[in-house]
Amino acid sequence: MRDFLEINQVSFSYFSKNGEIPVLDHIDFHVREGEFVAIVGPSGCGKTTLLSLLCGLLAPSDGEILLNGLPIVSSRPQIGYMLQKDHLLDWRSTKRNVALGLEVSHTYEKESDERIEKMLEDYGLAGFSKSLPSQLSGGMRQRAALIRTLLRDPALLLLDEPFSALDYQTRLTVCEDVWRIIRDSKKTTILITHDVTEAIRMADRILVLSRLPAKILSAHTLPADLRRRSPMEAGNHSEFSCYFNKIWKELMQA
């Protein structure tokens, strides 16, 4: 697979009345089309800032970010961003919440209804299309948020700790659901997470960031037979604990 996303020597600093605050220091990595990359790092190391750069909300202080060979700013319509919170509107039904992105971008068409109904059915929400968010479980809300993001058919999917608000059991179930949805749709995906086990369960490759100003400490490409396993099954892999211990140690020494 070719390099689809290129992050070339990217640095970023915030500026305050006390001066410059370096956040990212020459971050350099490439992502192949269809690859699932997880990024882990200490709390406050700039993971969400990196996602803001990847979706064009911020501009690098130095370096460049290319999507399909073009500057990321010109590629923003191709990017889907799923936040920590689902941000479903309380007064809209599941179906109307899912359709919101299409409405805002003025791309809702006659065929959209059929596509929405199919995705709701495929991902276990067909019986809840008329339900309000308050009537959905946390896992259902996250599935609805993901469908809303995927409906615009983004080329690149960015996930910013989307399971952090869920309890452990629900989190495992939703990880499984989201993993299958992403694999089925073959989306190039970058997941930001503070949970090492989540990264190992879901990703093809894991990047470990240092403390501020963040650098890439290491990159781990997971074995093919581990990558093929679902999140539920991955925990039983013989090398799961080995990767966990290795990455955890790196984070503790970051």
Side-chain angles (χ1 to χ4, degrees):
M1 291 183 285
R2 61 190 172 88
D3 286 335
F4 177 68
L5 176 66
E6 301 173 48
I7 295 86
N8 298 321
Q9 297 295 321
V10 167
S11 297
F12 181 81
S13 297
Y14 286 110
F15 291 87
S16 70
K17 61 181 180 181
N18 297 319
E20 181 181 5
I21 304 171
V23 178
L24 303 175
D25 184 12
H26 294 90
I27 301 293
D28 193 276
F29 67 95
H30 292 184
V31 180
R32 297 185 300 275
E33 192 168 16
E35 189 178 18
F36 194 135
V37 174
I39 299 175
V40 299
S43 180
C45 75
K47 297 187 294 294
T48 297
T49 298
L50 179 56
L51 278 198
S52 295
L53 288 163
L54 292 180
C55 69
L57 291 176
L58 297 174
S61 304
D62 196 15
E64 64 176 0
I65 303 174
L66 304 176
L67 183 65
N68 257 333
L70 298 174
I72 201 76
V73 176
S74 63
S75 307
R76 284 175 65 175
Q78 300 180 51
I79 300 169
Y81 196 152
M82 187 172 169
L83 301 165
Q84 293 179 19
K85 295 183 179 180
D86 56 64
H87 291 290
L88 300 181
L89 300 179
D90 294 338
W91 59 91
R92 292 176 72 106
S93 67
T94 303
K95 181 177 178 179
R96 293 192 64 216
N97 263 298
V98 162
L100 186 60
L102 297 180
E103 293 177 16
V104 170
S105 61
H106 304 291
T107 55
Y108 200 107
E109 301 172 346
K110 290 181 179 179
E111 298 78 14
S112 298
D113 264 342
E114 184 177 335
R115 189 161 170 240
I116 290 171
E117 295 288 354
K118 185 177 188 312
M119 291 186 78
L120 289 174
E121 182 176 353
D122 288 347
Y123 305 134
L125 293 176
F128 300 89
S129 63
K130 296 180 180 179
S131 300
L132 295 174
S134 60
Q135 298 170 305
L136 303 178
S137 68
M140 289 176 178
R141 292 176 67 114
Q142 287 302 93
R143 286 204 298 271
L146 181 59
I147 293 170
R148 179 184 60 200
T149 304
L150 291 176
L151 262 175
R152 296 188 63 194
D153 197 24
L156 174 64
L157 184 60
L158 305 176
L159 307 178
D160 187 1
E161 300 196 49
F163 317 118
S164 59
L166 303 176
D167 63 78
Y168 182 73
Q169 184 175 353
T170 303
R171 189 171 186 150
L172 279 179
T173 304
V174 177
C175 275
E176 186 89 359
D177 292 341
V178 169
W179 182 86
R180 293 189 184 282
I181 292 169
I182 290 171
R183 295 296 180 180
D184 289 347
S185 62
K186 297 180 172 61
K187 294 295 179 187
T188 307
T189 303
I190 295 180
L191 167 69
I192 294 292
T193 180
H194 63 272
D195 187 330
V196 176
T197 62
E198 187 174 278
I200 300 171
R201 289 178 186 278
M202 298 191 73
D204 301 318
R205 184 159 52 108
I206 301 170
L207 304 179
V208 181
L209 296 184
S210 70
R211 298 187 186 278
L212 293 180
K215 299 179 180 180
I216 295 179
L217 290 178
S218 63
H220 302 271
T221 299
L222 301 177
D225 57 334
L226 177 52
R227 298 198 304 266
R228 284 193 294 267
R229 295 190 180 201
S230 73
M232 290 286 195
E233 297 168 337
N236 298 321
H237 191 277
S238 59
E239 294 189 62
F240 186 92
S241 60
C242 176
Y243 276 99
F244 177 85
N245 292 333
K246 186 185 298 183
I247 294 170
W248 184 258
K249 184 177 180 180
E250 290 171 351
L251 288 173
M252 292 301 97
Q253 296 174 348

